[in-house]
């Protein structure tokens, strides 16, 4: 039977003699209570008295409640949230508090300063800081300002009979001295206190003076196995730890292992990724449900958890429009009713409707979404219910004064619960919550209840203020699901106090990170902080504390490894000074130790003989894009056009570059549909031309609905831009030989190129008019001397039509499908500020009168293009899906298929092959 750790022996002995065990943190109290229960079970007991093990904070709270119940105290103890509200209230009335910092952050800073003063005996017996006034007045503007706020805070606490939380220890002392408190124990054992605050020390002294024996447990300094491991970088350090831990767990699945870090939040996601891949790679698969072999002791704040983020987004959405990404995340959230049933429909709506919508404003309102067609029905029902509740149930505003409704926090919290219920948060009707989600729902409800207690000031607020209070509270509130006693516990250095383990791995023991540097507080004069021995004022004491904690950690397990990386995100790193004080430790480099290799996951082999189904005999979506992608990279065409793999569009507010280009097409099409010929353009006055352009813009803009002033202004800006750009283009068109526009935006339905059936739209077809003839509608189709034009707002050249893999096959494809006898030219029409021109080929150099239009045998060139394009169409139809980018890495730069084609891995293999070939040659 393994020997019992000395800590457990001391705790059991204390409990056996009816002593009270006080721990520095809740974690240690929970762990020791668990160990005690295990001991009882091992001894064969089926019932036993609960051990008197309490965290200091909980114990002090029970003593205070005792005083309140017995009428010995009337002061109401403030919660941290209530305390911050008081500070915010005081700051709001102070003109000097209107700085660049938000009132919330200033209030937090002031509350922290007060709490520091309370814990380091800076508060007088009467609840103020008058003893330190001279130092605050002499130090700086900040300290003088804080002194003023602190005096108001103190007065408010006295008037309303309130007790700030950090003053609790000091507030208990007179009651102990006057024997008004029933402690219930003659002995107290303190466990896991790396450093007590002066207020705690004073309380312990008062207990001792009242005849209670208070002793501090310290871990014995026994012979232990100590290793210090140096690695090249942080990734290698974390992987070394994870692999060593995997080996330990393989050898002993019951081992209790602690991973300790100086600052868990800063590396949490990286560590989680690496530990998951090394300790439980099978759980990386989406939907895997088994418990992980590791857990973080410290939770994450509620604002970072998907379920509560959904609730916050919903509440914000009832107040104002939200950015697209937030709306998108909300609509796809599993925490809205119907999310399970409509999962696919909602994803499709998000990808194909929402993200492709032309948004004139940067944010999306609830009302806008409800106007959209094809919204999945359950989603529409919920959002409608939410909207209705927003309109109907919100407490009435003062309509005459146009002020928002004001009421109590508790009323707003009820309204909040009703809004979320209307949206089906968090379960909806088609799924049930798992255990963690249940706990989270309870925590959320507690949070709302806590916010309702802000009514203690009697203040009435609007809904936006109530939502801000909820948001602020979620940022401050940590949530950790109930522990499932995973063998590997990940925690901070202070959290580990009061617990012992079989093995400890301390990661990140660098001189920058450990011991953690404590800063001084800007609102408290440095002399006060130094005199009261606050953190950050004495480097020698801070180092001494760091060394003591390092030694305590080393003494908390038979085997401990401290590790550090030579290179971190900020550059070169050195080992922590504390490591040199550890005595007999073995220093190792990572290349000097043998670690197990990475876990291997076996995948089923894919069969070699995959035969693609034949293309359906129907018109394919995509038009010329199919051939463009096939020319760029066969795999890209295959993935996008046959597998339907596309990236989500990220809609930006207003018109993006493509949409602005499209707008130019539409306006010029509407203009030429009316004006028809160059001669008509020549004969127009300036005013007529602008009038015609304005009318064309009206037609192009008719697809937008501009309801808000923002949207109207945005469209006006776009109109001004078009009215500046397009007259310049029309001037350029006047320099050409005479022409007639015979088609705009013409759709070529069901065209064949090789085995493919496609549909296309041609921007514009002109006919040259050497003799001034004008073609009637019925003659346009067969008009001679036709030129196909493609508007471009990008920098395109006719070189993009060349070769077996053309970059821009669109115009060659139009040409290949056009009647040969009438086609005499193809050209890009570049409508760009400062770069307006035609570029292309024509059977006569004069046809477009432009220096970049080359005279060529158009028929011959078109037949070459037809051959190339037919080959590409054949390749696509055959299922040629080779990963063969035309010009890597340029072709791959913006390609969305990288996760599927795995080009990087192929390149890595190719590089390895060439290295081994070189090695053979050598
Ligand atoms: S990333 Fe490159 S290789 Fe992969 S599909 Fe795209 S273009 Fe082809």
């Amino acid at each position: 039977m393994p020997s019992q750790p000395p800590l457990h022996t001391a705790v059991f002995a204390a409990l056996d003699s009816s002593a009270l065990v006080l721990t520095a943190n809740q974690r240690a109290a929970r762990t020791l209570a668990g160990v005690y229960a295990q001991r009882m079970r091992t001894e064969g007991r089926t019932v036993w008295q609960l051990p008197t093990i309490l965290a200091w904070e909980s114990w002090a709270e029970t003593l205070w409640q005792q005083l309140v119940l017995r009428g010995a105290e009337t002061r109401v103890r403030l919660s941290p949230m209530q305390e911050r509200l008081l500070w915010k209230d005081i700051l709001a009335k102070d003109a000097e508090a209107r700085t660049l910092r938000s009132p919330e952050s200033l209030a937090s800073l002031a509350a922290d300063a007060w709490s520091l003063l309370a814990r380091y005996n800076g508060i007088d017996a009467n609840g103020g800081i008058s003893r330190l006034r001279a130092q605050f007045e002499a130090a700086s503007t900040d300290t003088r300002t804080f002194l003023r706020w602190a005096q108001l805070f103190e007065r408010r606490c006295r008037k309303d009979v309130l007790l700030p939380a950090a003053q609790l220890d000091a507030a208990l002392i007179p009651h102990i001295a006057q024997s008004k408190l029933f402690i219930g124990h003659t002995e107290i054992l303190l466990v896991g206190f790396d450093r007590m605050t002066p207020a705690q020390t004073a309380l312990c002294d008062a207990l001792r003076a009242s005849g209670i024996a208070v002793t501090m447990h310290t871990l014995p300094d026994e012979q232990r196995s100590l290793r210090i491991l140096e690695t090249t970088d942080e990734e290698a350090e974390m992987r070394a730890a994870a692999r060593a831990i995997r080996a330990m767990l393989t050898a002993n699945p019951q081992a209790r292992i602690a991973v300790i870090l100086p600052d868990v939040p800063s590396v949490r996601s990286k560590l989680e990724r690496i530990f998951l891949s090394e300790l439980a790679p099978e759980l990386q698969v989406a939907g895997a449900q088994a418990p992980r072999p590791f857990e973080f002791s410290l939770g994450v704040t509620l604002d970072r958890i998907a379920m509560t983020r959904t609730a916050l987004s919903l509440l914000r959405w009832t107040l104002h429009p939200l950015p697209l990404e937030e709306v998108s995340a909300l609509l796809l959230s599993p925490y809205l009713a119907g999310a399970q049933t409509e999962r696919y429909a909602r994803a499709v709506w998000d990808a194909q409707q929402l993200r492709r919508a032309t948004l004139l404003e940067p944010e999306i309102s609830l009302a806008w979404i409800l106007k959209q067609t094809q919204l999945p029905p359950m989603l529409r029902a919920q959002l409608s219910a939410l909207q209705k509740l927003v309109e109907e149930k919100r407490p009435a505003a003062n309509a005459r004064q146009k002020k928002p409704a004001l009421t109590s926090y508790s009323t707003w919290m009820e309204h909040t619960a009703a809004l979320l219920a209307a949206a089906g948060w968090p379960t909806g009707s088609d799924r049930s919550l798992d255990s963690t989600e249940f706990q989270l729902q309870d925590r959320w409800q507690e949070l709302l209840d806590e916010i309702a207690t802000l009514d203690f000031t009697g203040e009435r607020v609007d809904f936006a203020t109530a939502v801000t209070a909820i948001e602020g509270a979620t940022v401050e509130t940590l949530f950790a699901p109930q522990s499932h006693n995973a063998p590997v516990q990940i925690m901070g250095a202070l959290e580990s106090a009061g617990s012992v383990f079989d093995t400890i791995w301390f990661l990140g023991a660098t001189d920058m990170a450990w011991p953690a540097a404590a800063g001084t507080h800007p609102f408290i004069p440095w002399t006060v902080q130094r005199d009261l021995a606050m953190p950050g004022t004495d480097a020698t004491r801070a180092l001494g504390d760091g060394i003591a904690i390092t030694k305590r950690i080393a003494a908390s397990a038979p085997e401990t490894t401290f590790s550090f990386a030579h290179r971190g995100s900020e550059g070169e790193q050195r080992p922590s000074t504390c490591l040199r004080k550890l005595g007999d430790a073995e220093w190792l480099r990572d290349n000097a130790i043998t670690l197990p290799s990475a876990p291997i996951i076996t995948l089923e082999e894919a069969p070699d003989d995959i035969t693609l189904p034949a293309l359906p005999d129907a018109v394919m979506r995509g038009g010329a894009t199919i051939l463009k992608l096939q020319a760029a990279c066969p795999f890209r065409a295959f993935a996008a056009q046959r597998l339907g793999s596309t990236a989500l569009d990220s809609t930006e507010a207003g018109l993006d570059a493509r949409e602005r280009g499209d707008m130019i097409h539409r306006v010029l099409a509407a203009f030429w549909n009316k004006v028809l010929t160059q001669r008509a353009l020549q004969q127009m006055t300036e005013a007529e031309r602008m009038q015609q352009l304005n009318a064309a813009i009206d037609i192009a803009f008719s697809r937008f609905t501009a309801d808000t002033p923002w949207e109207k202004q945005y469209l006006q800006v776009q109109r001004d831009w078009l009215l500046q750009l397009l007259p310049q283009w029309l001037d350029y068109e006047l320099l050409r030989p005479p022409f007639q526009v015979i088609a705009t935006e013409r759709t070529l339905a069901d065209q064949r190129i090789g085995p493919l059936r496609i549909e296309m739209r041609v921007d514009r077809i002109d006919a040259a008019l050497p003799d001034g003839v004008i073609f009637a509608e019925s003659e346009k189709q067969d008009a001679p001397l036709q030129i196909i034009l493609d508007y471009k707002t990008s920098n395109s050249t006719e070189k993009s039509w060349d070769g077996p893999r053309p970059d821009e096959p669109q115009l060659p494809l139009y040409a290949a499908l056009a009647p040969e006898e009438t086609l005499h030219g193809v050209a890009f029409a570049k409508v760009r500020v400062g770069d307006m021109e035609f570029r292309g080929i024509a059977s006569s150099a004069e046809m477009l009168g432009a220096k970049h239009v080359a005279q060529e045998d158009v028929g011959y060139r078109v037949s070459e293009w037809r051959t190339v394009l037919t080959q590409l169409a054949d390749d696509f139809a055959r299922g040629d899906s080779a990963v063969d980018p035309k010009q890597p890495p340029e072709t791959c730069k913006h390609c969305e298929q990288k996760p599927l084609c795995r080009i990087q891995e192929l390149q890595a293999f190719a590089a390895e092959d060439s290295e081994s070939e070189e090695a053979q040659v050598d």
Side-chain angles (χ1 to χ4, degrees), residues 652 654-664 714 721 793-794:
E652 53 186 71
L655 306 176
D656 59 22
R658 187 183 54 77
E659 288 166 330
R660 274 203 297 277
D662 189 49
M663 189 57 59
I664 289 173
Y714 181 81
W721 167 70
T793 47
S794 58

Side-chain angles (χ1 to χ4, degrees), residues 632-637 639 882-886 888 891-893 895-898 900-903:
C633 172
F635 185 85
R636 188 170 180 181
V883 178
D884 179 19
K886 182 182 170 189
T891 313
C892 303
K893 205 166 171 184
C895 177
E896 59 225 25
Q897 311 299 344
K898 282 191 203 89
L900 283 184
C901 75
R902 304 170 82 174
I903 180 78

Side-chain angles (χ1 to χ4, degrees), residues 2 38 248-257 485-488 501-503:
Q38 183 60 40
M248 288 173 216
L249 285 176
T250 308
N252 175 16
Q254 308 303 322
R256 312 297 304 167
I257 300 167
N485 290 322
V488 182
F501 307 91
D502 296 322
T503 301

